Amino acid sequence: MKCAELLATLNEYVDGTVDPAICEVFEKHMAGCNPCQVVVDNIRKTITLYRDGRPYQLPVECRQRLHSALRERWKETHLTGGPAPA
Amino acid sequence: MTNETTIAVTSDVELVGRAKKGNLDAFEALANRYEQRVYSLALRMLRQEQDAEDVTQQTFLSAMENLKGFRGEASFSTWVLRIASHAALKVIRKRKGLDTVSLEEATEEEDSYGSIPHPEYIADWRQSPEELVRKNEIQRLLEDALAKLDEKHRLVFLLRDVEGLSVKEAAEALGLSEGNTKVRLLRARLQLREELTRTLGDPERRVVRTHRDH
């Protein structure tokens, strides 16, 4: 396996979905290639940082508007049996 | 246990069941649970607060209207994120003046592994992700790096790695083939790695390739 071939199977390797035979070749390459080892480690950390990062906060006023809209639509569809006529 | 506490520990499946039977509190509890994620996804996809708010509202109104048809094949969160992606894609298409053209069409050919850029700045990071997430300033770095990605790469990364959808689910949500989704995900991951490593990498532990391809 060459470095470029390793890159092409990188997704499957870090997601744990790589075919076991390819996984073995992948790890054999990494054992002898420090740059690829570091790249794989960097990628794992990158994914972890984004996965564990904070979502944007929904501003309070937006949240209030959202819930009023939901309540209003609920009333229209649940009390009259369908959307209010235009 | 108060009603609010009961709702807080109730599963999504149970809340969906109650909402389907006409319980608005149950539906609002579901909205409370996922509104931040939906807003965040929309804001990161669209990079514009008003559009993100509109998409958030459309998403939950659409979820409310279509709740009866939700059979629970995917989790409620995946279903809602898929609705949000569709709504955000509509905004993107409108911005580009595209009505029905798929985002895939114009870019299909370049989505191959052949032209994947090689990593350039390779170095161990100075700190672990666990240490980094405790710092406030890291969030800005993450958002800036994300904003630099091409939209088509960013959308895939957001759904797969930030929101945790499977490749198949992300592909369906974006109307892409799984193959294209995988290539775009790889490009996004590699570019973000490059950006973050230039800031977080330890220059003293920088690794230089002796030759390009061995």
Side-chain angles (χ1 to χ4, degrees):
Chain A
M1 181 180 268
K2 291 180 176 176
C3 300
E5 290 163 342
L6 180 132
L7 277 188
T9 45
L10 193 57
N11 273 345
E12 285 75 14
Y13 182 75
V14 296
D15 291 341
T17 55
V18 71
D19 179 272
I22 297 175
C23 183
E24 203 176 307
V25 183
F26 192 104
E27 288 180 345
K28 203 174 156 199
H29 172 92
M30 277 214 300
C33 180
N34 189 235
C36 281
Q37 241 174 62
V38 178
V39 167
V40 170
D41 182 62
N42 287 167
I43 290 265
R44 284 192 200 280
K45 287 177 174 163
T46 300
I47 297 169
T48 304
L49 270 187
Y50 279 100
R51 195 193 56 211
D52 298 346
R54 287 180 221 137
Y56 278 106
Q57 292 296 303
L58 178 68
V60 180
E61 322 79 68
C62 296
R63 187 175 178 274
Q64 284 166 349
R65 284 194 288 270
L66 166 66
H67 283 263
S68 336
L70 291 177
R71 284 178 210 134
E72 202 168 308
R73 183 69 61 87
W74 189 273
K75 255 194 259 166
E76 287 170 8
T77 52
H78 286 77
L79 298 181
T80 63
Chain B
M1 219 188 264
T2 66
N3 191 33
E4 276 184 19
T5 327
T6 319
I7 274 191
V9 294
T10 307
S11 70
D12 285 1
V13 175
E14 174 64 29
L15 289 175
V16 168
R18 287 189 208 169
K20 278 185 175 179
K21 286 181 191 148
N23 184 329
L24 173 61
D25 287 345
F27 189 82
E28 285 203 74
L30 287 165
N32 288 338
R33 238 170 237 189
Y34 297 109
E35 61 201 12
Q36 302 281 7
R37 274 178 72 184
V38 165
Y39 176 73
S40 232
L41 173 66
L43 187 54
R44 286 173 174 143
M45 281 176 88
L46 301 169
R47 318 220 55 85
Q48 212 274 344
E49 288 173 8
Q50 186 57 54
D51 285 346
E53 179 183 346
D54 292 347
V55 162
T56 306
Q57 204 167 105
Q58 281 168 29
T59 298
F60 286 103
L61 286 172
S62 168
M64 185 185 269
E65 278 167 21
N66 295 296
L67 194 64
K68 287 215 156 44
F70 171 63
R71 303 265 171 261
E73 287 98 354
S75 65
F76 181 78
S77 62
T78 299
W79 184 63
V80 162
L81 291 169
R82 204 185 300 154
I83 297 174
S85 307
H86 285 159
L89 282 179
K90 265 194 194 165
V91 176
I92 291 173
R93 289 191 182 113
K94 206 173 162 194
R95 282 182 188 168
K96 293 181 175 170
L98 304 170
D99 287 331
T100 50
V101 182
S102 151
L103 288 179
E104 187 158 38
E105 195 173 78
T107 53
E108 183 94 57
E109 283 181 14
E110 60 187 81
D111 287 330
S112 71
Y113 288 98
S115 54
I116 297 285
H118 249 270
E120 284 177 18
Y121 192 96
I122 305 172
D124 278 318
W125 288 8
R126 289 185 297 263
Q127 288 169 295
S128 70
E130 293 71 27
E131 290 166 322
L132 289 164
V133 284
R134 283 199 290 269
K135 296 185 167 181
N136 285 328
E137 62 264 38
I138 191 71
Q139 207 56 37
R140 180 49 36 218
L141 176 68
L142 297 182
E143 297 300 341
D144 287 350
L146 205 49
K148 284 185 195 164
L149 291 184
D150 256 17
E151 187 173 78
K152 58 181 185 167
H153 300 145
R154 192 171 72 239
L155 302 188
V156 170
F157 182 81
L158 283 172
L159 288 177
R160 173 71 187 95
D161 284 339
V162 180
E163 299 303 337
L165 267 61
S166 67
V167 169
K168 189 167 182 274
E169 288 166 341
E172 279 169 6
L174 296 170
L176 298 171
S177 68
E178 277 189 54
N180 254 354
T181 304
K182 284 184 190 173
V183 180
R184 290 181 189 194
L185 178 65
L186 180 60
R187 285 180 176 277
R189 284 172 166 179
L190 285 169
Q191 191 181 327
L192 291 171
R193 184 215 71 83
E194 195 74 37
E195 289 283 342
L196 298 189
T197 305
R198 284 178 194 274
T199 305
L200 304 172
D202 183 348
E204 290 181 13
R205 289 156 76 196
R206 186 171 176 191
V207 185
V208 180
R209 280 183 196 278
T210 43
H211 42 101
R212 293 293 289 175
D213 213 358
H214 63 285

